């Protein structure tokens, strides 16, 4: 009897051993290859209870769980896309606003399926820490999947959809978001190592090359002839210039290849190989009243204008007129490696029409150089993925730089305009929803001041650096000039105490009358940081810019100044 009892106790311990090998509280210390029960690995995720219900009840390593969750997220995204398509087949039952919201969801879900598919192809064949750039690539697209789902959900909730339809879509979408959060956390646990932080303080080669403000282009003699004829002047030496495979010109007077930018974009080749250079669209001076959308297959496209306020792309869509915030954009791009230079992007809807986007970018590794973005509420929408803005002008009133990209604005002029009576100005509204997303807004060596219309109005308008649109909102101002228009508290709430302990807002080395941090907010998530922490948000570290920006030949500062 005693021996039988001993056998049963021993058997019980052996069966239970995997569950106690790594206690839940130490999940972060579990090696990626260690087999553990799902409830243990789920402690690493933001929502352990949902994670436990979503993963199989078994013992496995983080790589097996990660593959399972990403594969399941891909399957659920395909299922959701089918559901959206079914509703879009019945347009007579839907308002035009609801149709537009569903069309946004279809685009966003299609992109998410691409991102999840490419991620799964990698993780399904690899059980080790990835290279820094490859890990950042996949963490970026998984972050974008979460952003896409949140954008879809926000659009649906803002429309006049019938309750049963809204519920039919929102419930699976919410579950999909939770599963993608699990996937992102497990990917970070298994495949992402520690970044090697750089502390660059000196000028880069690109900075030295561009200290005279030129953007040299490297092209064939025939392409150069077309370009020089379009500009009416000769391009200087192309040594070290941007590689251009082909060029077309847009001119409203009919002297170019096209009279509209949309036609030029449609004519661009699909999936251009980066090794062959950019397909260049030169847009001559003029006002182009167009709504332009550059789809995902128009890769490696460069659009060059004649200069700020000379080449102007303008529209006036707004939420007040029945558009979603997402599709109110005058100019929208999701094609990777997009570059825009010397162009003004404008939305003229005005403050009275509320959300009205001038430019929306969901283009990975996109660059905007010497451009201007003009609007009031929600002017510039860096929606998702990795983006860089250099020497740009940004005008607006409420939340006029917003979204959930990993974005650096460098050497830019940020102008607060005159809002409607009773309103205040907020510069940023960053939309990070998950602590594992590698997203945020880094504003480096910029100038924040009042636009002429506000400065000359003799009105006192409270202006703030930002407010938390989503729970893990993250924004940093570094080595920038902050003028005296700012409220001394610096930052504004969104609603009550929402996100005040989970956000990350920081300031480092700013100057000007608005830079005094003595009377700043005392939220748990607000910080005055040192140089070591600020380095995390430099171009080299936050965007790994040294790996992809040099080919654009746009000047940049790699580290702190």
């Amino acid at each position: 009897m005693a021996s039988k009892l001993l056998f049963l106790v021993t058997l019980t311990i052996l069966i239970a051993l995997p569950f106690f090998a790594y206690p839940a509280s130490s999940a972060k210390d579990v090696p990626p290859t260690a087999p553990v029960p799902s409830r243990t690995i789920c402690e690493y995720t933001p929502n352990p209870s949902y994670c436990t219900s979503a993963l199989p009840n078994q013992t496995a390593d983080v790589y097996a769980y990660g593959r399972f969750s990403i594969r399941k997220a891909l399957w659920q995204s395909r299922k959701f896309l089918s559901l959206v398509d079914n509703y879009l087949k019945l347009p007579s039952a839907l308002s035009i606003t609801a149709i537009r919201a569903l069309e946004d969801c279809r685009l966003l879900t299609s992109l998410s399926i691409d991102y999840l598919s490419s991620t799964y192809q990698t993780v399904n064949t690899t059980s080790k820490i990835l290279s820094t750039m490859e890990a950042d690539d996949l963490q970026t697209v998984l972050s974008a999947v979460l952003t896409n789902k949140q954008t879809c959900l926000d659009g649906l909730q803002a429309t006049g959809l019938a309750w049963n339809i809204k519920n039919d879509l929102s419930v699976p979408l919410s579950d999909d978001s939770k599963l993608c959060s699990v996937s992102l956390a497990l990917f970070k646990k298994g495949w992402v190592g520690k970044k090697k932080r750089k502390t660059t303080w000196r000028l880069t080669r690109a900075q030295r090359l561009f200290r005279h403000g030129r953007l040299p282009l490297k092209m064939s003699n025939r392409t150069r002839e077309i370009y020089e004829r379009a500009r009416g002047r000769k391009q200087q030496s192309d040594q070290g210039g941007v590689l251009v495979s082909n060029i077309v010109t847009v001119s409203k007077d009919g002297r170019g290849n096209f009279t509209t930018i949309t036609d030029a974009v449609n004519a661009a080749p699909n999936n251009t190989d980066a090794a062959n250079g950019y397909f260049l669209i030169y847009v001559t001076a003029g006002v182009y009243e167009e709504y332009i959308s550059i789809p995902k297959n128009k890769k490696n496209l460069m659009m060059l204008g004649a200069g700020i306020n000379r080449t102007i792309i303008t529209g006036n869509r707004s939420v007040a007129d029945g558009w979603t915030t997402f599709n109110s954009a005058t100019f929208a791009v999701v094609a990777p490696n997009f570059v825009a230079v010397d162009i003004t992007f404008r939305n003229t809807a005005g403050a009275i029409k509320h959300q009205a986007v001038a430019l929306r970018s969901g283009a990975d590794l996109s660059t905007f150089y010497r451009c201007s973005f003009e609007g009031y509420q929600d002017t510039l929408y860096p929606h998702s993925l990795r983006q860089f803005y250099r020497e740009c002008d940004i005008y607006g009133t409420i939340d006029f730089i917003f979204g959930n990209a990993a974005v650096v604005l460098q050497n830019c002029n940020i102008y607060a305009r005159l809002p409607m009576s009773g309103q205040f100005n907020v510069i940023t509204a960053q939309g990070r929803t998950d602590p594992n997303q590698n997203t945020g807004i880094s504003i480096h060596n910029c100038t924040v001041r009042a636009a002429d219309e506000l400065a000359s109005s003799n009105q006192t308008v409270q202006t703030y650096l930002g407010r938390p649109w989503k729970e893990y909102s993250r924004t940093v101002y570094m080595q920038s000039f902050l003028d005296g228009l700012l409220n001394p508290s610096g930052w504004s709430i969104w609603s009550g105490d929402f996100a005040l302990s989970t956000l990350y807002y920081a300031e480092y080395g700013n100057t000007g009358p608005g830079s005094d941090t003595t009377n700043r907010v005392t939220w748990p998530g607000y910080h005055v940081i040192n140089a070591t922490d600020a380095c995390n948000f430099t171009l080299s570290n936050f965007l790994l810019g040294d790996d992809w920006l040099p080919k654009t030949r746009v000047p940049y500062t790699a580290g702190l100044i």
Side-chain angles (χ1 to χ4, degrees):
M1 180 68 180
S3 61
K4 183 177 181 181
L5 180 61
L6 179 62
F7 171 76
L8 290 174
V9 171
T10 303
L11 181 61
T12 301
I13 293 173
L14 289 172
I15 292 172
L17 187 59
F19 292 88
F20 296 101
Y22 295 96
S25 60
S26 63
K28 292 186 178 181
D29 299 323
V30 174
T33 55
V36 294
S38 57
R39 67 179 183 183
T40 298
I41 206 66
C42 282
E43 290 299 322
Y44 188 75
T45 69
N47 191 337
S49 60
Y50 174 81
C51 173
T52 302
S53 69
L55 296 183
N57 184 18
Q58 64 183 44
T59 299
D61 64 20
V62 70
Y63 296 110
Y65 289 128
R67 292 184 190 105
F68 175 87
S69 64
I70 293 169
R71 184 172 66 247
K72 186 175 180 179
L74 178 58
W75 177 79
Q76 288 188 184
S77 292
R78 287 171 174 159
K79 186 178 179 181
F80 182 76
L81 181 61
S82 178
L83 182 62
V84 170
D85 283 338
N86 287 338
Y87 277 115
L88 284 171
K89 291 175 183 176
L90 305 169
S92 59
L94 303 171
S95 67
I96 185 63
T97 304
I99 291 172
R100 287 168 178 164
L102 288 170
E103 288 174 342
D104 290 351
C105 288
R106 181 167 58 185
L107 169 63
L108 291 162
T109 306
S110 175
L111 291 169
S112 294
I113 288 171
D114 289 346
Y115 301 154
L116 288 166
S117 180
S118 63
T119 302
Y120 184 70
Q121 288 176 20
T122 298
V123 302
N124 196 40
T125 58
T126 307
S127 295
K128 62 180 181 180
I129 299 296
L130 298 172
S131 68
T132 301
M133 192 63 192
E134 189 172 17
D136 196 64
D137 286 345
L138 296 187
Q139 188 179 358
T140 295
V141 296
L142 288 176
S143 296
V145 171
L146 272 173
T147 303
N148 290 347
K149 293 184 182 298
Q150 185 64 52
T151 304
C152 172
L153 186 61
D154 288 347
L156 292 175
Q157 292 176 342
T159 64
L161 278 168
W163 179 87
N164 61 322
I165 298 176
K166 188 178 294 188
N167 190 64
D168 194 24
L169 292 164
S170 298
V171 170
L173 187 57
S174 178
D175 286 342
D176 288 356
S177 295
K178 293 175 185 176
L179 182 59
C180 288
S181 176
V182 170
S183 299
L184 177 57
L186 296 181
F187 174 78
K188 188 176 177 182
K189 171 68 175 173
W191 286 272
V192 180
K194 292 184 178 180
K195 288 183 181 179
K196 294 181 179 179
R197 187 167 57 188
K198 300 179 182 179
T199 55
T200 306
W201 296 81
R202 57 187 174 80
L203 291 178
T204 65
R205 177 180 179 276
Q207 284 178 281
R208 295 193 298 272
L209 181 62
F210 291 102
R211 60 180 178 268
H212 299 300
R214 293 190 298 109
L215 185 72
L217 303 172
K218 185 177 182 179
M219 58 186 75
S220 69
N221 290 336
R222 174 57 180 159
T223 304
R224 178 172 302 286
E225 181 183 337
I226 297 170
Y227 178 62
E228 289 173 353
R229 187 165 61 244
R231 298 183 78 218
R233 56 182 176 177
K234 288 189 175 183
Q235 165 73 4
Q236 297 180 23
S237 171
D238 63 7
Q239 185 177 3
V242 180
L243 181 61
V244 175
S245 61
N246 203 351
I247 181 173
V248 296
T249 61
V250 179
S251 180
K252 292 177 68 68
D253 61 11
R255 296 181 182 180
N257 303 98
F258 303 97
T259 57
T260 69
I261 299 170
T262 298
D263 286 344
V265 171
N266 291 338
N270 294 334
N271 301 311
T272 301
D273 190 336
N276 295 328
Y278 290 97
F279 183 86
L280 177 63
I281 298 175
Y282 178 68
V283 186
T284 60
V287 178
Y288 296 83
E289 297 180 15
E290 297 185 53
Y291 295 99
I292 297 162
S293 180
I294 301 181
K296 62 185 180 182
N297 61 344
K298 301 296 182 179
K299 299 177 181 178
N300 296 294
L301 189 67
M302 177 177 284
M303 191 171 293
L304 180 60
I308 289 177
N309 291 330
R310 295 194 65 214
T311 297
I312 301 169
I313 304 172
T314 185
N316 63 0
R317 288 177 178 171
S318 68
V319 168
D321 287 335
W323 300 90
T324 63
T325 300
F326 185 80
N327 61 33
S328 70
T330 301
F331 191 102
V333 55
V334 296
N337 301 300
F338 176 77
V339 181
V341 183
D342 291 337
I343 299 173
T344 291
F345 301 92
R346 183 178 291 168
N347 190 312
T348 61
I352 197 170
K353 292 297 182 74
H354 303 290
Q355 297 95 329
V357 176
L359 180 135
R360 185 192 83 235
S361 175
D364 197 22
L365 309 179
S366 54
T367 307
F368 298 85
Y369 178 43
R370 295 189 314 225
C371 290
S372 182
F373 308 92
E374 300 176 11
Y376 286 86
Q377 184 171 347
D378 291 3
T379 302
L380 177 60
Y381 193 178
H383 175 263
S384 56
L385 304 168
R386 293 163 292 191
Q387 306 180 28
F388 178 56
Y389 295 75
R390 172 82 179 196
E391 296 174 32
C392 293
D393 298 335
I394 305 141
Y395 296 82
T397 54
I398 297 174
D399 306 336
F400 63 95
I401 303 172
F402 77 111
N404 196 24
V407 55
V408 173
L409 285 74
Q410 200 173 87
N411 294 42
C412 293
N413 297 307
I414 299 171
Y415 295 106
R417 303 180 79 169
L418 182 65
M420 290 192 296
S421 177
Q423 287 186 331
F424 55 87
N425 286 332
V426 185
I427 297 170
T428 66
Q430 206 281 325
R432 187 165 168 254
T433 60
D434 189 283
N436 290 308
Q437 288 179 305
N438 60 352
T439 55
I441 299 173
S442 174
I443 296 176
H444 186 203
N445 195 29
C446 293
T447 297
V448 175
R449 64 174 75 248
D452 290 343
E453 63 191 86
L454 176 58
S456 62
S457 68
N458 295 320
Q459 296 187 34
T460 300
V461 176
Q462 300 300 320
T463 300
Y464 300 90
L465 296 170
R467 61 175 179 165
W469 180 29
K470 302 297 181 183
E471 188 173 3
Y472 293 92
S473 183
R474 182 160 64 175
T475 301
V476 178
Y477 285 78
M478 307 191 302
Q479 299 178 315
S480 294
F481 177 85
L482 309 180
D483 212 346
L485 76 163
L486 291 176
N487 183 288
S489 63
W491 306 81
S492 174
I493 63 168
W494 185 271
S495 178
D497 62 357
F498 170 73
L500 301 188
S501 61
T502 51
L503 60 78
Y504 184 91
Y505 288 164
E507 298 179 55
Y508 167 73
N510 298 310
T511 59
S515 66
D516 185 357
T517 59
T518 304
N519 296 309
R520 288 294 196 253
V521 295
T522 57
W523 308 335
Y526 170 74
H527 311 274
V528 177
I529 57 177
N530 58 27
T532 300
D533 292 331
C535 279
N536 292 321
F537 300 97
T538 59
L539 188 66
S540 285
N541 291 321
F542 197 50
L543 297 187
L544 301 184
D546 294 320
D547 292 313
W548 58 274
L549 265 172
K551 71 174 182 179
T552 70
R553 295 300 189 264
V554 168
Y556 68 90
T557 303
L560 297 173
I561 57 176

